Amino acid sequence: MLPEEKITHLKQALRGRLIQPHDDDYHTARKVYNGMIDKCPLLIAKCADVADVITAVNFARENDLLTAIRSGGHNGGGLGICDNGLVIDLSQMKGINVDPDTKTAWVQAGCTLGDVDHATHAFGLATPSGIFSTTGIGGITLGGGLGHLTRQYGLAIDNLLEANVVLADGSFVKANETTNKDLFWALRGGGGNFGVVTSFVFRLHALSTIYGGPMLWELDETEDVLRWYQDLIKSAPDELNGFFAFLCVPPGPPFPEHLHTKNMCGVVWCYSGDMEKAEKVFEPIRNFKKPALDFVGPLPVPALNSMFDALLPPGLNWYWKADFVNELSSEAIDQHIKFGTQLPTLLSTMHLYPINGVASRVSNKDTAWSYRGATWAMVIAGIDPDPANNDKISKWAKDYWEALHGYSAGGAYVNFMMEEGEDRVKATYGDNYEKLASIKAKYDPDNLFRVNQNIKPALHVHMD
């Protein structure tokens, strides 16, 4: 237990609020996106500015408190919260400044993807990141930042130009290609291991309207669809992105009644090329097999990025399993059909997100993200509002993953992982792990920032 005077001192030093277990809004403040996570921190510091972050980091270090950093709270494993420790909550820090001349945006770490879309879209600009607009920009970016525009413009980290960071010793530094280069390298995919990023500078692209949306087919067509989709996405022009999904059609508008609660397979498309050519690009796609549902057409970028938000509000119970995938062999397709046609609940799903195209032309050595050669990041998500179904959705996700893991490329996208242990983290960073561990030792030698997919600091003396 911390002495009361220390807590009072921290409270007085913060511009933002310090929330404690006896406060009325404590139970609301400790909730994260994944309802399966139920953790009770000692203190939640709702930081108003960078000075608050520095104060909170110093307090955590001086009092040896377990510390979690929270931006959007979307993390599957609930890594934005901890038991009996301090949560440094950045959600109040929502400043954004778009510079249309340099096509860049300065974005504070409390922003969501929706906040960024709102600010950039007014200028006809966009930066690639994510699928849900409710996701926090901090966590998704530091983990890599996959989304609808990955094939077109790369990962979020490929469009990250600079970060401002509060380090474990409380110092405030800038990281970019010329200043603290090693830190900048590690932040691009290495997660929240190296400090508290308080703001980002992103490169923006001239993009206002895309041609996209979901296209669904009957389940008995899955094998044909998957084989065709694999061939298509491997040779598609960079302007065309589409992720494959198994899903249950939501029982409400805009979906036609005859498809409600029906299990189907589909692709959610995003074409960002010349709108005049969009219909022509989709001609062979529509001719492959007549889809049972075709909601593909011109959309503002923010509309695509928020299309699924209402289906997946905060507080649902999630169990995630993930892998990187190079190939869909016949055996793998058989397993996908077996598990993908037996979704355990209405919201459970499996997605294959392409990471080829522009994202694949960056070397594994250029950023911490080390699976540039993979074709997809796969995620299996068991999802349900009722905690009584937690075992059911978890078992389905684990069994599905185990059936497919042998056909995978190895590690997984860190933003799709629960708490899965050191070996999985090492598999995810592959040849980059040792370099990351030595950068960790430089910037966070005592592993203050360890509520994450943790990279342990390298020991400077290797004992034989």
Side-chain angles (χ1 to χ4, degrees):
M1 291 299 289
L2 280 172
E4 198 55 50
E5 64 267 23
K6 281 194 171 180
I7 295 174
T8 303
H9 183 73
L10 174 61
K11 199 176 241 183
Q12 289 166 348
L14 292 173
R15 274 284 155 73
R17 271 192 72 214
L18 187 68
I19 300 174
Q20 294 173 255
H22 58 71
D23 288 320
D24 290 347
D25 56 349
Y26 171 77
H27 290 293
T28 309
R30 72 181 181 88
K31 283 197 173 91
V32 288
Y33 186 75
N34 185 354
M36 212 183 270
I37 309 295
D38 183 23
K39 293 189 175 171
C40 296
L42 191 62
L43 301 166
I44 300 170
K46 290 253 184 190
C47 298
D49 53 22
V50 175
D52 277 1
V53 176
I54 293 170
T55 301
V57 168
N58 287 336
F59 185 86
R61 185 189 64 253
E62 288 158 10
N63 294 284
D64 198 21
L65 276 177
L66 184 65
T67 304
I69 317 302
R70 178 170 168 182
S71 169
H74 246 261
N75 181 270
L79 299 174
I81 192 98
C82 61
D83 279 323
N84 305 316
L86 170 68
V87 176
I88 299 178
D89 186 318
L90 309 172
S91 61
Q92 308 296 300
M93 295 171 61
K94 283 191 173 287
I96 301 183
N97 184 44
V98 177
D99 185 336
D101 296 332
T102 58
K103 289 199 171 79
T104 58
W106 171 83
V107 180
Q108 280 191 302
C111 292
T112 61
L113 295 180
D115 296 329
V116 176
D117 272 346
H118 170 77
T120 56
H121 187 66
F123 297 95
L125 299 167
T127 196
S129 192
I131 299 292
F132 299 106
S133 80
T134 54
T135 309
I137 199 80
I140 194 170
T141 300
L142 296 174
L146 266 175
H148 290 297
L149 298 169
T150 300
R151 295 191 78 255
Q152 294 91 325
Y153 301 122
L155 301 164
I157 52 174
D158 301 331
N159 295 273
L160 179 63
L161 302 174
E162 190 169 277
N164 283 334
V165 193
V166 177
L167 300 177
D169 64 3
S171 62
F172 178 72
V173 300
K174 202 178 267 320
N176 56 36
E177 284 291 9
T178 53
T179 308
N180 297 309
K181 262 182 100 155
D182 55 348
L183 177 60
F184 187 55
W185 179 89
L187 291 174
R188 285 176 291 165
N193 273 285
F194 306 95
V196 184
V197 178
T198 57
S199 64
F200 303 84
V201 177
F202 294 104
R203 178 188 300 115
L204 304 177
H205 302 268
L207 184 65
S208 185
T209 304
I210 57 90
Y211 189 94
M215 202 175 266
L216 305 181
W217 292 272
E218 301 289 345
L219 270 189
D220 60 10
E221 298 178 308
T222 300
E223 185 176 350
D224 291 346
V225 172
L226 269 174
R227 289 183 190 283
W228 163 80
Y229 167 73
Q230 167 163 248
D231 291 343
L232 177 84
I233 215 70
K234 284 189 170 187
S235 58
D238 295 346
E239 300 81 54
L240 182 65
N241 193 85
F243 71 84
F244 177 88
F246 284 113
L247 73 159
C248 181
V249 178
F255 299 96
E257 213 167 295
H258 70 281
L259 295 181
H260 287 183
T261 70
K262 193 170 178 173
N263 282 3
M264 303 188 83
C265 69
V267 176
V268 179
W269 299 105
C270 176
Y271 169 75
S272 57
D274 181 349
M275 284 299 115
E276 309 267 302
K277 296 179 181 161
E279 295 285 345
K280 201 158 184 53
V281 168
F282 275 83
E283 226 170 72
I285 292 171
R286 290 186 164 114
N287 288 343
F288 150 70
K289 248 184 205 302
K290 187 169 168 48
L293 175 119
D294 181 348
F295 278 178
V296 184
L299 283 170
V301 171
L304 179 66
N305 289 345
S306 57
M307 189 174 268
F308 308 107
D309 291 355
L311 281 179
L312 298 165
L316 299 173
N317 301 285
W318 290 67
Y319 192 87
W320 307 55
K321 290 294 284 184
D323 267 325
F324 286 118
V325 178
N326 293 336
E327 284 291 326
L328 296 172
S329 64
S330 297
E331 295 79 9
I333 287 173
D334 289 345
Q335 294 301 328
H336 273 300
I337 291 168
K338 178 182 169 186
F339 288 94
T341 55
Q342 298 172 359
L343 302 177
T345 58
L346 190 69
L347 295 168
S348 296
T349 189
M350 187 286 301
H351 294 172
L352 287 165
Y353 294 104
I355 41 181
N356 55 357
V358 170
S360 68
R361 292 179 213 131
V362 177
S363 159
N364 279 341
K365 294 190 173 70
D366 288 348
T367 65
W369 219 78
S370 62
Y371 274 86
R372 299 288 184 165
T375 312
W376 295 279
M378 173 186 75
V379 65
I380 298 161
I383 312 168
D384 197 67
D386 187 352
N389 289 323
N390 284 359
D391 287 348
K392 182 163 90 170
I393 61 177
S394 304
K395 185 179 184 328
W396 171 79
K398 286 176 192 166
D399 290 350
Y400 194 161
W401 182 84
E402 274 163 21
L404 276 162
H405 183 60
Y407 304 106
S408 78
Y413 177 38
V414 287
N415 289 344
F416 289 159
M417 286 163 63
M418 305 283 280
E419 294 189 72
E420 297 175 29
E422 195 175 2
D423 288 348
R424 279 291 277 161
V425 175
K426 284 182 171 170
T428 284
Y429 290 113
D431 294 343
N432 287 336
Y433 187 84
E434 278 184 32
K435 183 177 174 183
L436 284 162
S438 65
I439 296 170
K440 174 79 169 174
K442 176 178 168 183
Y443 290 98
D444 183 17
D446 299 321
N447 206 7
L448 175 67
F449 303 118
R450 61 186 181 275
V451 181
N452 46 39
Q453 300 296 349
N454 195 233
I455 294 160
K456 293 191 169 61
L459 297 169
H460 292 302
V461 183
H462 288 287
M463 309 298 283
D464 288 329

